[in-house]
Amino acid sequence: MKKIISILIFLFTLICHAQHEPKFENDTLTTSTGFKVYEGLSIKIGTGSMNDGDFKFIRTNASSLFNYYSTTGYRGLANQANSFRRSNSGLTFKVKKIMTRGTKKNGYVYYAKIGQSLINYEMDIENAIKSGEIVVPEEFLPKTKNQIQEIIKESKYDKLKKIKELKDSGVLSEEEFQKEKERIMSEN
């Protein structure tokens, strides 16, 4: 019985941790979902996530001459002054540079510098992926809790088949097998 629980905990841990911490090595950022970002990569812009359709996680680069500085905001809307405009949806931009901000203690945020001419923009890569502001292949989209639960959820028959295999391989005794079988059959 302890072996079954250990195996189930191990499988659950693997599934839940399928999304890892981002990792920056050799000029390539591997995001938490496994998407790789590097200089020269063409990134297709998705849809802005702010109410007006502008982009929340793609903004004018902080060091740009065109960056708007204010303590009161732009027309009362501090976020929108430097946001990437919704008219850029569907366009493709090349990554000019990957930038890291933060500390080991507090964690890091990774930005991609993109742009076409004088104005450069910085993209919070992780949040841009999560919000759909950049388009990535489906395999690199973050998993939702529902998707993880679907992966974990199994039918009674799948569970019975697994414990039968464990019994046949000698991991479970006949007594442990019968107890597990009864438990599985009594589940709703």
Side-chain angles (χ1 to χ4, degrees), residues 81-95:
N82 294 312
S83 64
F84 200 55
R85 300 288 174 234
R86 62 184 162 270
S87 58
N88 291 310
S89 290
L91 299 179
T92 301
F93 289 83
K94 286 208 182 287
V95 173

Side-chain angles (χ1 to χ4, degrees), residues 2-16:
K2 289 180 183 179
K3 290 180 183 179
I4 290 177
I5 292 172
S6 297
I7 291 169
L8 292 175
I9 290 171
F10 176 73
L11 290 174
F12 180 77
T13 305
L14 281 178
I15 291 168
C16 289

Side-chain angles (χ1 to χ4, degrees), residues 65-150:
L65 294 172
F66 300 99
N67 193 29
Y68 179 82
Y69 294 95
S70 171
T71 55
T72 59
Y74 171 74
R75 296 182 188 169
L77 304 169
N79 274 346
Q80 281 141 324
N82 294 312
S83 64
F84 200 55
R85 300 288 174 234
R86 62 184 162 270
S87 58
N88 291 310
S89 290
L91 299 179
T92 301
F93 289 83
K94 286 208 182 287
V95 173
K96 293 181 174 182
K97 182 179 180 180
I98 297 176
M99 303 171 293
T100 304
R101 294 195 192 126
T103 63
K104 188 174 184 178
K105 179 180 177 183
N106 296 325
Y108 295 101
V109 177
Y110 299 95
Y111 293 88
K113 183 179 181 180
I114 62 170
Q116 291 179 323
S117 56
L118 294 175
I119 302 177
N120 288 309
Y121 296 92
E122 58 188 22
M123 172 192 323
D124 176 343
I125 299 168
E126 288 289 322
N127 284 315
I129 290 172
K130 289 175 188 171
S131 65
E133 290 189 355
I134 61 173
V135 178
V136 297
E138 193 170 317
E139 66 200 77
F140 298 115
L141 291 174
K143 302 283 185 259
T144 65
K145 284 186 180 182
N146 288 343
Q147 289 170 318
I148 292 171
Q149 287 173 348
E150 284 298 317

